[in-house]
Amino acid sequence: MQQAAPEITLTAQPDDPLPIGKAALLGLQHVLAMDVYIVPFIIASVLAFSVGDAGAFIQSAFVAAGVATLIQSQLLMRLPVVQGPSFVPIGAVLAIAFGAGGGIGGLSAVIGALIPGAILVMLLGSPTGIFHRLVNRFVPPIVGGAIIIVVGVALMPVALKESVFAVHGSATVGGNIILAFVAALFLVGCMLTGMAMGAKGAWLRLLSVIIALVAGCVAAAFMGQLDMSAVSAATWFSMPRIAFLNLDVTFSFSAMLTMLIVYIVVLAETTGTWFAVGAVIDKPLSDEQLDRGATGEGLGCLISALLCSTPVTGYSSNAGIIAITGIASRAAFAAAGIFLVLFGLVGKLSAVIASIPGPVIGGVFGVLCVVIAMNGFRVVRGTPLTERNMLVIGLPILMALFATLAPPDFVKTLPDLVQYILGSSIAFGAVWAIVLHQILPNSR
């Protein structure tokens, strides 16, 4: 996908080495800006897992995310990306688990449904070379740019609704807004100050996300909204559950077919992230990278299933961190993968992340969404904005917001397949961009 001239100052390209300490700090920032624990926490809560089962399930998500990150960033796609649990499969996972009796026993049917689909996704990539042909046919630059815009815009309401405006415990909406504003203000301030200072301010730009999160947590502590009790209660070390060894696996054809459809949506979602990263580092994705990426996605999802977790996907917020810090070195992403594994094995570390107040993460996440969306506009601005092209770019944004803001009660009345697609506003908007480009006639 061709892109415009670079306008983001990168001080480290993907293949540039980094000192160990610097890589560790950057990797930690990438992990802290993610919400890895949210997906397993939601599923464990709805399925009424015991405390021990819920802890093991969250552990598995961290370990799977770390292993998948190392696979994609270091071995297969070799792109600066971080993998984490996708929100797309939540509905399907719950439906299959409840259909199998619910509880931890229902998870056995879920894992049995995840394994075959992950293998098929692997085969779409390097073994057959099918995936890059599909992307080249259906995702030209205008569509790729539109997908990047969708990624940024679709996540903005999520950052606000789920993190900033969601009230828990003694929190208030006003207090949440203050915390989000403090985190966002420190992030933008550190980023701009660091760039204005040039080489002397590199450290400020480098640590901007961590500084923003710490500032938000300090503000939360003064407001009585920081609860670290989970850290003291967490265990130091424990192993995640492993399929076939610690959990029986059952297979159902209907469940496998459902998950195969879900995997297609997840693959569309993660492809949007790849384009976002490619836009930030100003390097078009090669056919070989796309095929290796599909294989890596399938392998990561397979390992995640064997660790009794749910499918992984590329996290778009990390593309924003690259733009803010100016460092795209894969060494930082190797560190992020290692941190994720450690957080999964050391319960107290994962509890620290889970204790960061949602509004603080939401404030940082919102700024990252803006950076991602602006990179999408940078990609499409070289395309003539005819009436037809404006629809190809603009309507997917509208449809992504539709998926994000659609009332849950209405969504539940729709067929299961439609519910799964609407479950990911990014995938829903991406599908519309692809379809509109194919069906709208070119104007003369």
Side-chain angles (χ1 to χ4, degrees), residues 8-238:
I8 293 176
T9 304
L10 291 181
T11 57
Q13 296 292 333
D15 293 328
D16 290 347
L18 289 178
I20 294 178
K22 191 174 183 179
L25 279 174
L26 284 163
L28 182 61
Q29 284 193 134
H30 281 286
V31 174
L32 292 177
M34 299 169 69
D35 49 5
V36 174
Y37 63 93
I38 296 296
V39 171
F41 180 80
I42 292 173
I43 294 174
S45 298
V46 175
L47 293 178
F49 285 0
S50 67
V51 174
D53 288 336
F57 192 52
I58 294 173
Q59 270 188 274
S60 294
F62 273 100
V63 176
V67 174
T69 296
L70 292 172
I71 289 173
Q72 283 289 54
S73 65
Q74 309 302 311
L75 300 177
L76 286 174
M77 199 171 198
R78 297 179 66 80
L79 197 69
V81 293
V82 178
Q83 301 286 103
S86 172
F87 283 77
V88 173
I90 291 178
V93 167
L94 294 176
I96 293 171
F98 278 123
I104 196 66
L107 192 61
S108 301
V110 173
I111 303 306
L114 289 173
I115 292 174
I119 295 173
L120 288 176
V121 172
M122 289 173 58
L123 296 177
L124 279 178
S126 298
T128 61
I130 293 174
F131 185 70
H132 84 266
R133 294 186 177 93
L134 294 175
V135 172
N136 291 338
R137 172 68 179 83
F138 294 105
V139 191
I142 184 175
V143 176
I147 290 175
I148 298 169
I149 297 172
V150 163
V151 170
V153 174
L155 291 175
M156 291 179 190
V158 177
L160 295 173
K161 183 180 177 182
E162 303 298 332
S163 296
V164 180
F165 299 147
V167 178
H168 302 286
S170 60
T172 63
V173 173
N176 286 358
I177 293 174
I178 292 174
L179 291 179
F181 180 78
V182 168
L185 181 64
F186 269 84
L187 177 58
V188 174
C190 290
M191 179 178 64
L192 296 180
T193 304
M195 288 189 290
M197 293 172 62
K200 293 182 179 179
W203 67 271
L204 195 58
R205 188 180 176 192
L206 177 72
L207 299 176
S208 54
V209 174
I210 287 182
I211 292 173
L213 292 173
V214 170
C217 287
V218 171
F222 277 108
M223 296 171 61
Q225 299 299 319
L226 184 64
D227 182 9
M228 303 296 288
S229 59
V231 179
S232 58
T235 58
W236 276 106
F237 180 82
S238 58

Side-chain angles (χ1 to χ4, degrees), residues 315-362:
Y315 269 37
S316 306
S317 57
N318 302 98
I321 295 178
I322 294 174
I324 289 173
T325 62
I327 296 181
S329 172
R330 292 186 297 108
F333 291 81
I338 293 171
F339 271 122
L340 284 167
V341 173
L342 288 176
F343 288 160
L345 298 178
V346 182
K348 289 190 180 296
L349 293 179
S350 58
V352 170
I353 293 183
S355 298
I356 299 175
V360 174
I361 293 180

Side-chain angles (χ1 to χ4, degrees), residues 415-439:
D416 289 344
L417 176 58
V418 180
Q419 290 187 44
Y420 300 150
I421 296 176
L422 285 174
S424 171
S425 55
I426 294 173
F428 190 61
V431 169
W432 272 93
I434 294 169
V435 171
L436 287 171
H437 182 69
Q438 295 297 317
I439 65 175

